[in-house]
Amino acid sequence: MSGAGGARRWHAAYALLPTGLAREVTFEVTDGRFTSVTPGSPVGDAALLPGVVLPGLANAHSHAFHRALRGRTHAGGGTFWTWREGMYAVAAQLDPDSYLALARATYAEMALAGITCVGEFHYLHHGPGGVPYADPNAMGEALRQAAAEAGIRLTLLDACYLAGGLTADGHLPLGAEQLRFGDGTVERWAARLSALRPSDGMRRGAAIHSVRAVPREALAPVAEAARGLAPAAGPLHVHLSEQPVENEACQGFYGLTPTALLDAEDVLGPRTTAVHTTHLTTGDIAALGRTRTTACFCPTTERDLADGIGPARALRDAGAPLSLGSDQHALIDLLEEARALEMHERLDSLQRGRFRPAELLAAATAHGSLGWEDAGRLEAGARADLVAVRLDSPRTAGIDPAQVLLAATAADVDTVLVDGRVVVESGLHRLGDVGALLRKAIEPLWEDM
C-alpha cells in the first residue's frame, strides 16, 4: 500500500467520480492529495475498500454544543422558541475544557458519518456574563483542537451577535443568557476575529447570526471583514428566514424581508451561504439565485424543530447552489440530510425525483462553501478525502451503487480518509469508543437540570 515518496494506494469496486459511477477504481495518494484516480484498473498491491466510495462529505452548518440537546427536548412538545431555552441552559455551563470534550466527541461522530470537513457556526465566545477569557478566542481554540483530534478539517465561522432580538419596534438588547455570545460592537467582534489565526486544518470565516441579532448598520461591516480575511477571502454565513416571526419583525421594522435587507447591504454573493431559507418570497428566491448565494438546508433539524420545508428546488433552479448541514445534531448523518432534501420536496410537491442522485451528492460535498475549493471530488489534484460505504448491510444489500444516497445511512460508513489519513476504519474511529466520549461530555451537563 505504501511506495516511494509516501505514496499510498487504495482500490474500490465502485466509486462515484465526477463523471458518474465507475468500476474497479484505484486511488493513489501522495502528501494528502490524489495523484491519480484510475477506473478499470487491477487491484495490484492496493488496499481494498469495501462497497462504493464517495468524496468526503461537507457538513456546512454545525453548532457543536447543540449535540447535548439530542433526545432531551421532546417530552413537552413546544416550539423553536421553547427549544431555544434548553439551548441557552446548556451553553451557560460550558467552558473551554468542557467545550473541547463535547466538540471533540461530536466531530468524531461526524467522521464516523463520512464528514471530512465541518463549518462551525460559532457564537459561544465568552465566559459567564459575557466576560472575555484571558484568550478572547479560547472557545474557538477549543473547537480548533477538537477538530484536529477528531481528524476532520474545520472552517470556523465566527459569528457577530450584537442584539437580543428584533421586533417591529426595533432591536432588543442582549438578554442575560445571550451575553456570552456578544462582543458589544462590530469593531470589537472584527478585532477578535482578526486575532484568530488560520492553520493547516482550520480556515476562518465570518457569520452574521441573523438579522435579529445584527442590526442593519453592522451588516456591511461584517461582510467586509469576511472579504478581508487573509490569505484569502473567507466564507460568510447567515441564518436566514428560519421562522416566520423573524420575517414579520424584519418587515415591520425595516420594511424589507430579511433576504432583501441582506441584498440591500451587499451581503449576498458567491462566498455567502444563507442557512435554512425556509420561509421565502418569490423575490427572495430570485435574489438568492441572482447573486449565486448558496442555500444551506438542514432537513433533520428543520423537521425536528417544526420549522417547515424550504424551497430547495426553486432555489437551485434560480441559480443558488445548495449545501447541507446537521445544525443542532438531532441526527448526524449527511446521507440522511441528502435523502431528506429529496423526500421533503416530494412531500411538498407530490412529485418524485425532484433531485437527481448526482445533485444530492453535490449538495453533500459542498466544501467550496466552507472555503475548501480543492476538496469534495475524487480526482487527481484534489484533497484525498474519501468515504467507503458498505453495500452488504441490511439497508444497502442489493441496491444500485449509483443510488447509494437514497438507501444508506451513517451506520453503513466503513472507511474514511481525510487528507490521505485514515480516520475511520472498519466503522471504528481512531479515538476509540465515540459513544463513551459523548456520554462523558454530555451527561454532566444535565445532572442539575
Side-chain angles (χ1 to χ4, degrees), residues 57-66 99 103 106-107 110 115-123 143-144 147 152-159 201-207 235-239 273 275-276 296-298 323-329 334 363-372:
L57 307 179
N59 188 348
H61 189 66
S62 162
H63 302 296
F65 75 92
H66 290 191
Y99 202 12
T106 301
Y107 293 158
M110 290 184 194
I115 293 163
T116 59
C117 182
V118 59
E120 182 64 33
F121 197 109
H122 171 51
Y123 58 87
L143 292 166
R144 185 205 302 266
I152 67 175
R153 291 189 303 276
L154 170 70
T155 298
L156 192 66
L157 300 160
D158 195 287
M202 190 199 85
R203 291 187 177 168
R204 298 175 299 170
L236 173 64
H237 288 219
V238 54
H239 292 123
T273 293
V275 181
H276 299 306
C296 178
F297 285 85
C298 306
S323 64
L324 294 167
S326 61
D327 193 3
Q328 57 123 342
H329 315 310
L334 258 287
T365 57
H367 293 260
S369 70
L370 299 175
W372 304 88

Side-chain angles (χ1 to χ4, degrees), residues 4-30:
R8 306 188 72 192
R9 301 174 72 249
W10 285 268
H11 185 89
Y14 301 97
L16 291 177
L17 305 186
T19 53
L21 183 69
R23 294 173 179 265
E24 305 302 336
V25 181
T26 299
F27 303 91
E28 183 163 328
V29 176
T30 305

Side-chain angles (χ1 to χ4, degrees), residues 58-123:
N59 188 348
H61 189 66
S62 162
H63 302 296
F65 75 92
H66 290 191
R67 174 59 181 84
L69 296 167
R70 184 189 298 175
R72 298 277 189 172
T73 65
H74 304 281
T79 67
F80 167 86
W81 306 102
T82 56
W83 168 88
R84 193 172 68 158
E85 298 306 313
M87 180 269 287
Y88 287 152
V90 168
Q93 299 183 69
L94 292 169
D95 59 24
D97 290 336
S98 57
Y99 202 12
L100 168 61
L102 177 56
R104 177 174 51 222
T106 301
Y107 293 158
E109 184 183 359
M110 290 184 194
L112 287 172
I115 293 163
T116 59
C117 182
V118 59
E120 182 64 33
F121 197 109
H122 171 51
Y123 58 87

Side-chain angles (χ1 to χ4, degrees), residues 29 31-33 153 200-201 372 383-385 417-421:
V29 176
D31 297 330
R33 292 186 180 270
R153 291 189 303 276
D200 288 343
W372 304 88
R383 288 178 175 270
D385 295 359
L417 269 65
V418 182
D419 289 331
R421 297 183 296 272

Side-chain angles (χ1 to χ4, degrees), residues 379-407:
E379 64 182 20
R383 288 178 175 270
D385 295 359
L386 63 76
V387 180
V389 180
R390 301 195 69 90
L391 295 175
D392 58 358
S393 80
R395 292 162 295 280
T396 60
I399 72 166
D400 177 353
Q403 299 182 33
V404 65
L405 267 67
L406 280 301

Side-chain angles (χ1 to χ4, degrees), residues 222-278:
V222 174
E224 184 59 32
R227 287 190 285 267
L229 290 173
L236 173 64
H237 288 219
V238 54
H239 292 123
L240 183 65
S241 290
E242 183 177 7
Q243 293 291 322
V245 171
E246 174 183 301
N247 290 359
E248 294 161 7
C250 190
Q251 190 75 51
F253 186 63
Y254 290 115
L256 297 167
T257 68
T259 300
L261 178 61
L262 296 178
D263 196 16
E265 294 300 320
D266 198 27
V267 171
L268 303 181
R271 297 198 68 81
T272 299
T273 293
V275 181
H276 299 306
T277 61
T278 310

Side-chain angles (χ1 to χ4, degrees), residues 93-377:
Q93 299 183 69
L94 292 169
D95 59 24
D97 290 336
S98 57
Y99 202 12
L100 168 61
L102 177 56
R104 177 174 51 222
T106 301
Y107 293 158
E109 184 183 359
M110 290 184 194
L112 287 172
I115 293 163
T116 59
C117 182
V118 59
E120 182 64 33
F121 197 109
H122 171 51
Y123 58 87
L124 184 51
H125 299 307
H126 304 298
V131 178
Y133 291 103
D135 175 359
N137 284 306
M139 296 295 262
E141 292 296 342
L143 292 166
R144 185 205 302 266
Q145 183 179 345
E149 294 181 9
I152 67 175
R153 291 189 303 276
L154 170 70
T155 298
L156 192 66
L157 300 160
D158 195 287
C160 185
Y161 199 124
L162 301 175
L166 176 63
T167 72
D169 296 321
H171 288 274
L172 304 173
L174 293 175
E177 68 281 358
Q178 298 167 320
L179 292 174
R180 299 188 69 179
F181 309 158
D183 289 286
T185 68
V186 68
E187 291 79 14
R188 286 202 289 269
W189 165 80
R192 185 178 51 74
L193 172 60
S194 68
L196 183 71
R197 308 314 302 169
S199 56
D200 288 343
M202 190 199 85
R203 291 187 177 168
R204 298 175 299 170
I208 293 166
H209 179 272
S210 59
V211 299
R212 303 190 314 272
V214 180
R216 181 172 189 168
E217 62 271 17
L219 295 174
V222 174
E224 184 59 32
R227 287 190 285 267
L229 290 173
L236 173 64
H237 288 219
V238 54
H239 292 123
L240 183 65
S241 290
E242 183 177 7
Q243 293 291 322
V245 171
E246 174 183 301
N247 290 359
E248 294 161 7
C250 190
Q251 190 75 51
F253 186 63
Y254 290 115
L256 297 167
T257 68
T259 300
L261 178 61
L262 296 178
D263 196 16
E265 294 300 320
D266 198 27
V267 171
L268 303 181
R271 297 198 68 81
T272 299
T273 293
V275 181
H276 299 306
T277 61
T278 310
H279 303 282
L280 301 181
T281 67
T282 55
D284 294 338
I285 293 169
L288 292 167
R290 168 178 50 81
T291 57
R292 299 298 186 265
T293 298
T294 296
C296 178
F297 285 85
C298 306
T300 65
T301 286
E302 288 147 9
R303 70 193 186 201
D304 180 74
L305 297 179
D307 288 343
I309 297 173
R313 183 71 261 176
L315 282 163
R316 189 68 195 93
D317 290 344
L322 302 182
S323 64
L324 294 167
S326 61
D327 193 3
Q328 57 123 342
H329 315 310
L331 190 67
I332 294 179
D333 188 340
L334 258 287
L335 301 177
E336 171 59 20
E337 302 290 351
R339 181 162 51 249
L341 194 68
E342 164 68 12
M343 298 306 171
H344 287 192
E345 277 281 330
R346 293 184 186 186
L347 289 173
D348 194 49
S349 69
L350 306 183
Q351 297 176 355
R352 301 181 82 223
R354 298 285 286 171
F355 287 100
R356 299 187 305 276
E359 292 178 300
L360 298 179
L361 183 62
T365 57
H367 293 260
S369 70
L370 299 175
W372 304 88
E373 287 82 2
D374 56 353
R377 301 177 304 281

